[in-house]
Amino acid sequence: MKVFLTGATGYIGNRLAIHLAENNYEVHALVRNLKSDNIPVHSNIILFEGNLNDNLSVEKAIANCDYVFHTAAFTKLTCNDVKEFYEVNVQGTANVLNAAKNNGVKKVIFTSSVSVYGPSQPHSSITEIHPRMSSYANDYELTKTMAENLVLEFNKKGLPGIILNVSRVYGPGNTGFSNGVNRFASMLLKKRFVFVPSKLKIESNYVYIDDVTKAHILALNNGIAGEKYIIGGENASYEKLFSTISASIQTKNSIVKINYKLLKTGLFLMSLLDKLVLNESSLTPKLLDYLFTNRIVSSLKAVSQLGYEITPLKTGMQQTIEFLKHRNHEN
């Protein structure tokens, strides 16, 4: 069975490409740079050089494929240019969907985010029918919502599409913005002190990477066209997350809390300085608030309809730490 996959050098896409290949799928992977260090390598993976806004390369890669996994996205939340988000997340998705429809693809699995639902309300988990109650916090949320709407529009036009809303992913894989949990664990492995904001009661949802890749295949086999499925893991406060990481590492290194308001003030001053010297800030007050927002979700629909299974945070974190230790040893 042939599948077309975007985002093969990304965190989820890379892991998914390997998982599909190991399960005897022929994967046509569209990549921008054939020399990237993050290229997935397997005899069942065929690489096609191109990008989402190059229709010829998309059409070439998708030819004769039965299914599409569209995981590619622009996720750089520090970027202030909405055009960057729109060209990849919206126009790129439109190009993939048009090519899929033109080539008679049987089903499209679109990887989205739980952030499109906005923050969770007090004492309430976000579900697939959860209405968004707040304005969009950034251009990523906005353009991913627009992309979801495109998937649903094409579904009505005869191209079956399924949307997977993924929560915060952690586990073995590439390093990047989208796996902040891994970056924190890596810092705790290497440094004597790690500083964190004091707002540790904030709760979010953390999903193990292998659960996410399995969910994509489950959606392909069991998902209902036109439906959305939240692919999450365990809900946990930052306090629980950090203690779970520390316990998995068995480290004596310390996690030091910094007053949240004081940290925001410091970031504001640093962002002003960055603007003066034309640098891009790695962390801004706006992004800090975005990261420290309650996002409690429920994956019951995916469990009941797809057969989705959740890896406990403790188990997933132990496997993640072993991966990070092994990678650090190699480096």
Side-chain angles (χ1 to χ4, degrees):
M1 187 183 298
K2 296 181 181 180
V3 300
F4 171 65
L5 182 140
T6 69
T9 58
Y11 184 33
I12 294 176
N14 182 277
R15 196 79 170 178
L16 177 58
I18 296 295
H19 188 72
L20 287 165
E22 290 177 345
N23 283 274
N24 298 317
Y25 289 85
E26 181 179 303
V27 181
H28 289 201
L30 183 70
V31 297
R32 289 177 295 175
N33 180 10
L34 293 176
K35 296 181 180 179
S36 170
D37 293 335
N38 296 326
I39 292 286
V41 178
H42 193 282
S43 59
N44 285 336
I45 297 176
I46 302 172
L47 302 178
F48 292 81
E49 187 173 17
N51 63 73
L52 297 179
N53 288 311
D54 176 5
N55 287 319
L56 289 178
S57 63
V58 173
E59 288 280 354
K60 183 179 179 181
I62 208 171
N64 301 315
C65 287
D66 301 296
Y67 302 101
V68 168
F69 292 94
H70 182 29
T71 75
F74 186 79
T75 63
K76 194 175 182 181
L77 297 183
T78 54
C79 178
N80 293 316
D81 185 1
V82 67
K83 183 181 178 181
E84 296 272 7
F85 290 93
Y86 184 84
E87 286 184 348
V88 177
N89 298 347
V90 183
Q91 188 57 56
T93 298
N95 293 339
V96 169
L97 294 172
N98 274 311
K101 192 171 189 303
N102 292 341
N103 285 272
V105 164
K106 298 175 183 177
K107 190 179 289 184
V108 173
I109 310 299
F110 176 65
T111 310
S112 188
S113 167
V114 297
S115 66
V116 300
Y117 294 101
S120 57
Q121 300 302 307
H123 313 298
S124 177
S125 295
I126 292 172
T127 67
E128 289 80 2
I129 60 172
H130 181 89
R132 186 171 181 111
M133 304 295 288
S134 61
S135 58
Y136 291 103
N138 50 58
D139 294 327
Y140 172 71
E141 289 185 352
L142 172 62
T143 53
K144 288 299 283 186
T145 301
M146 295 170 71
E148 285 190 7
N149 290 337
L150 284 174
V151 174
L152 297 176
E153 286 176 18
F154 270 80
N155 186 75
K156 293 177 181 178
K157 296 177 182 178
L159 176 65
I162 293 172
I163 296 167
L164 301 184
N165 296 107
V166 182
S167 65
R168 291 182 180 171
V169 190
Y170 71 96
N174 301 337
T175 300
F177 177 84
S178 59
N179 55 348
V181 176
N182 283 24
R183 293 202 310 276
F184 177 83
S186 293
M187 285 192 294
L188 201 59
L189 276 167
K190 297 175 182 178
K191 298 181 179 180
R192 185 176 179 83
F193 296 100
V194 177
F195 297 92
V196 300
S198 59
K199 213 171 176 181
L200 299 184
K201 298 298 182 183
I202 294 296
E203 291 185 79
S204 192
N205 187 276
Y206 302 92
V207 59
Y208 189 57
I209 183 66
D210 288 350
D211 293 354
V212 176
T213 57
K214 291 174 184 176
H216 280 73
I217 296 180
L218 287 171
L220 183 70
N221 294 326
N222 304 330
I224 301 172
E227 292 292 322
K228 300 175 66 173
Y229 298 93
I230 290 177
I231 305 303
E234 189 173 324
N235 293 308
S237 65
Y238 274 111
E239 190 172 52
K240 180 178 179 180
L241 174 67
F242 295 158
S243 64
T244 302
I245 294 173
S246 295
S248 298
I249 294 175
Q250 297 180 331
T251 179
K252 295 180 180 179
N253 295 354
S254 299
I255 297 176
V256 181
K257 292 186 288 185
I258 302 178
N259 180 272
Y260 193 84
K261 291 183 179 179
L262 182 63
L263 178 59
K264 278 191 68 175
T265 301
L267 289 174
F268 174 74
L269 295 175
M270 288 177 63
S271 63
L272 289 179
L273 180 61
D274 286 335
K275 287 181 181 179
L276 288 174
V277 296
L278 302 179
N279 283 340
E280 185 178 87
S281 301
S282 59
L283 182 61
T284 63
K286 182 179 178 181
L287 179 54
L288 183 69
D289 283 339
Y290 176 76
L291 294 173
F292 281 77
T293 298
N294 286 311
R295 298 185 191 278
I296 306 170
V297 306
S298 169
S299 297
L300 287 179
K301 181 178 177 181
V303 171
S304 62
Q305 293 190 13
L306 302 182
Y308 176 63
E309 296 181 355
I310 294 172
T311 298
L313 181 61
K314 181 179 179 181
T315 303
M317 195 54 65
Q318 289 171 343
Q319 294 171 4
T320 302
I321 297 304
E322 287 304 310
F323 164 79
L324 293 173
K325 286 179 177 179
H326 180 70
R327 188 175 66 182
N328 290 343
H329 180 71
E330 287 184 336
N331 295 335

